[in-house]
C-alpha cells in the first residue's frame, strides 16, 4: 500500500509515490521550462494549460515506475496551496477525482510543509521518525518564499520572520534576466558563477535590525546598476562580457549566501537549535549548501532533486497526515493560501 502525491502549484507537474514505511517508489517531474523560457518567467495561464496536458501522463508514469496498480494506492495527497490558483486547481481536481473513484482518502498538503518534509528523506526513504532534529530552525527559500520558521514538531511551526520584499529565488530569477541569462535564473546563475575568477564586486547585504527578516530588493537594484556600469555601458568584447557576467553572478551569489547563512545561524543559536533545515528550490544551489555546511554543522539539505518542486515531498508530508487520519472530504477541499503557522 502507498501514498501518491501530486504537485501542480507552479510550473512543474509532478507525482511521487512512497509506501507506508516511507520507502521511495517513484518520483516523476514534467518541467515546463521550455514553455515559459521565451517569456523570461512563468505565464500562469500557460502553466495551467500545460498541467492539464501533463497530469495524466505524469501520474501514469509514476504508478508504472513504482510497479503498482491503482488498487495499491491507499491515499492521494495533493498540494492545496500556496501557489498559482489556476495551476493548483488542475492538481486538486485530478486528485479529487482519483480519490473519489478509488474510494480512498484525500489529503490536502501545504506546499511549504512539503518542501520542509524533503529534509527528512535519507537514502531513498522518508524517515518520518527523525524526531531528534526537533526543535529546529527551518529556512525555506523558494521562488515565492523566504521564511525562517521555528519547528517543534511536524505540525508545530512558528513563523519567526520572512522577506520584506523579493523572495531569494525571485531575486535569482530577476538578476538572471538583467544579465540576459534566461529562466529559471537560479541554476543558470550558479553555473555562470562557477567560472568566475572571483575578483568579487562588493554587492550589498541587507542585515536589517531583526535577524529573522530578509530583504533582497536592494541587492537586485545594485546588481542591475553594476551590470549597466560594467557591461551594458561599456564597449566590451564577447570574452570580456562573459567574464563580467560570471563575476557579477558570483558576487550576487556571495551576497545572498552570506546573508542567509549569517542570519540563520544566529537565529539557530538564539533559539538553542542544533539543526537548520534548508529547503525550497534555492536549496539546490551548491554554493549556498557548501557555505552553510562550512559554517554550521547541523545544516541539513535535501538531495538536489528533492529541493525544487516535486510530488514526492507531497507524498512524504501526506504520509504524516495519513498516519494521523487527517483527511479532507473531496467536497470540502479548497485552495489554501498560507502555511498554518502560529
Ligand atoms: O521551490 P521551487 O521549485 O518553486 C517554488 O515553490 O517557488 O523554487 C523555484 C526557485 C526559482 O526561483 C529558481 O530560480 C530557484 O528556485 N532555484 C535555484 C536553483 N535551482 C532553482 N536558485 C539558486 N540556485 C539553484 N541551483
Ligand atoms: Zn516550491
Amino acid at each position: 500500500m502507498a501514498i501518491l502525491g501530486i504537485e501542480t502549484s507552479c510550473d512543474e507537474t509532478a507525482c511521487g509515490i512512497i509506501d507506508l514505511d516511507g520507502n521511495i517508489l517513484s518520483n516523476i517531474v514534467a518541467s515546463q521550462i521550455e514553455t515559459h523560457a521565451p517569456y523570461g518567467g512563468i505565464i500562469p495561464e500557460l502553466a495551467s494549460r500545460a498541467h492539464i496536458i501533463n497530469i495524466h501522463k505524469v501520474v501514469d508514469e509514476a504508478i508504472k515506475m513504482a510497479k503498482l496498480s491503482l488498487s495499491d494506492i491507499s491515499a492521494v495527497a495533493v498540494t492545496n496551496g500556496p501557489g498559482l490558483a489556476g495551476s493548483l486547481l488542475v492538481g486538486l481536481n485530478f486528485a479529487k477525482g482519483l480519490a473519489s473513484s478509488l474510494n480512498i482518502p484525500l489529503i490536502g498538503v501545504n506546499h511549504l510543509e512539503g518542501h520542509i518534509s524533503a529534509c527528512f528523506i535519507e537514502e531513498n526513504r522518508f524517515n518520518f521518525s527523525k524526531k531528534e532534529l526537533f526543535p529546529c530552525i527551518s529556512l525555506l527559500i523558494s521562488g515565492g518564499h523566504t521564511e525562517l520558521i521555528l519547528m517543534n514538531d511536524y505540525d508545530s511551526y512558528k513563523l519567526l520572520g520572512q522577506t520584506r520584499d523579493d523572495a531569494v529565488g525571485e531575486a535569482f530569477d530577476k538578476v538572471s534576466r538583467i544579465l540576459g541569462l534566461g529562466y529559471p535564473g537560479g541554476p543558470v546563475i550558479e553555473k555562470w558563477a562557477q567560472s568566475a575568477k572571483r575578483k568579487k564586486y562588493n554587492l550589498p547585504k541587507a542585515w536589517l535590525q531583526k535577524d529573522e527578516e530578509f530583504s533582497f530588493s536592494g541587492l537586485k537594484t545594485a546588481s542591475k546598476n553594476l551590470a549597466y556600469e560594467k557591461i551594458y555601458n561599456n564597449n566590451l568584447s564577447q570574452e570580456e562580457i562573459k567574464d563580467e557576467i560570471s563575476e557579477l553572478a558570483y558576487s550576487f551569489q556571495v551576497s545572498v549566501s552570506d546573508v542567509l547563512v549569517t542570519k540563520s545561524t544566529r537565529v539557530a543559536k538564539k533559539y538553542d537549535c542544533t539543526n537548520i533545515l534548508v529547503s525550497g528550490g534555492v536549496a539546490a544551489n551548491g554554493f549556498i549548501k557548501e557555505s552553510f555546511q562550512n559554517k554550521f554543522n547541523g545544516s541539513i539539505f535535501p538531495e538536489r532533486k528533492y529541493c525544487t518542486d516535486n510530488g514526492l515531498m507531497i507524498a512524504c508530508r501526506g504520509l504524516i497526515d495519513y498516519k494521523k487520519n487527517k483527511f479532507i472530504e473531496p467536497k470540502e477541499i479548497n485552495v489554501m493560501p498560507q502555511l498554518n503557522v502560529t
Side-chain angles (χ1 to χ4, degrees), residues 33-295:
I33 288 179
E34 280 178 20
T35 307
H36 303 289
Y39 305 97
I42 298 165
I43 309 292
E45 171 73 17
L46 295 183
S48 317
R49 288 168 188 241
H51 284 310
I52 290 179
I53 292 169
N54 292 336
I55 186 111
H56 278 87
K57 299 179 217 166
V58 164
V59 172
D60 266 358
E61 218 179 305
I63 292 173
K64 267 192 207 122
M65 181 182 255
K67 297 194 172 62
L68 299 177
S69 63
L70 280 176
S71 57
D72 298 317
I73 308 297
S74 319
V76 180
V78 60
T79 306
N80 63 344
L84 302 171
S87 290
L88 287 165
L89 288 173
V90 177
L92 276 170
N93 278 324
F94 187 93
K96 225 168 145 168
L98 186 61
S100 300
S101 66
L102 296 172
N103 200 20
I104 55 175
L106 182 63
I107 301 164
V109 172
N110 181 288
H111 183 75
L112 308 182
E113 289 186 278
H115 272 306
I116 295 169
S117 301
C119 293
F120 294 86
I121 298 174
E122 42 184 32
E123 290 171 12
N124 283 328
R125 181 166 175 267
F126 173 53
N127 188 354
F128 51 89
S129 56
K130 227 171 153 187
K131 294 259 183 183
E132 70 275 9
L133 294 186
F134 299 123
C136 63
I137 295 298
S138 176
L139 172 68
L140 207 138
I141 40 178
S142 69
H145 294 83
T146 302
E147 299 187 351
L148 271 170
I149 297 158
L150 175 65
M151 243 181 120
N152 287 311
D153 204 338
Y154 294 113
D155 290 311
S156 165
Y157 307 96
K158 183 173 167 41
L159 179 63
L160 302 175
Q162 55 189 320
T163 180
R164 291 185 185 177
D165 38 58
D166 291 351
V168 196
E170 192 182 350
F172 267 96
D173 293 337
K174 286 179 178 165
V175 169
S176 170
R177 205 185 307 178
I178 291 164
L179 295 175
L181 303 179
Y183 175 84
V188 82
I189 289 212
E190 181 176 12
K191 193 152 175 267
W192 277 83
Q194 279 161 0
S195 39
K197 296 185 184 80
R198 305 185 174 202
K199 68 182 168 202
K200 202 173 132 192
Y201 293 122
N202 257 332
L203 284 167
K205 297 166 192 172
W207 296 116
L208 306 180
Q209 214 172 10
K210 271 185 81 185
D211 274 330
E212 291 83 352
E213 285 187 342
F214 301 95
S215 165
F216 296 101
S217 62
L219 171 60
K220 183 185 63 188
T221 309
S223 305
K224 183 176 177 185
N225 292 343
L226 194 60
Y228 275 87
E229 184 194 328
K230 301 290 176 189
I231 306 171
Y232 295 118
N233 294 343
N234 272 337
N235 205 0
L236 302 180
S237 68
Q238 284 303 316
E239 273 318 298
E240 286 168 330
I241 291 175
K242 281 187 189 163
D243 280 351
E244 287 299 332
I245 291 177
S246 291
E247 294 306 329
L248 230 146
Y250 175 73
S251 312
F252 168 79
Q253 214 173 236
V254 167
S255 277
V256 168
S257 183
D258 271 6
V259 167
L260 292 176
V261 173
T262 308
K263 282 174 162 276
S264 307
T265 49
R266 275 192 206 148
V267 170
K269 280 179 194 138
K270 181 166 158 188
Y271 287 89
D272 217 6
C273 293
T274 47
N275 291 103
I276 302 175
L277 313 186
V278 188
S279 63
V282 182
N285 186 289
F287 182 84
I288 293 177
K289 180 175 177 179
E290 209 181 298
S291 309
F292 263 94
Q293 290 179 336
N294 285 341
K295 181 100 187 268

Side-chain angles (χ1 to χ4, degrees), residues 294-328:
N294 285 341
K295 181 100 187 268
F296 194 81
N297 256 340
S299 304
I300 296 175
F301 282 68
E303 234 180 280
R304 193 179 262 258
K305 66 181 171 200
Y306 300 134
C307 289
T308 44
D309 289 351
N310 64 86
L312 192 82
M313 67 188 199
I314 304 303
C316 291
R317 176 62 223 185
L319 179 59
I320 294 174
D321 285 354
Y322 181 81
K323 301 244 173 213
K324 293 183 178 170
N325 286 328
K326 273 171 71 181
F327 307 131
I328 300 186

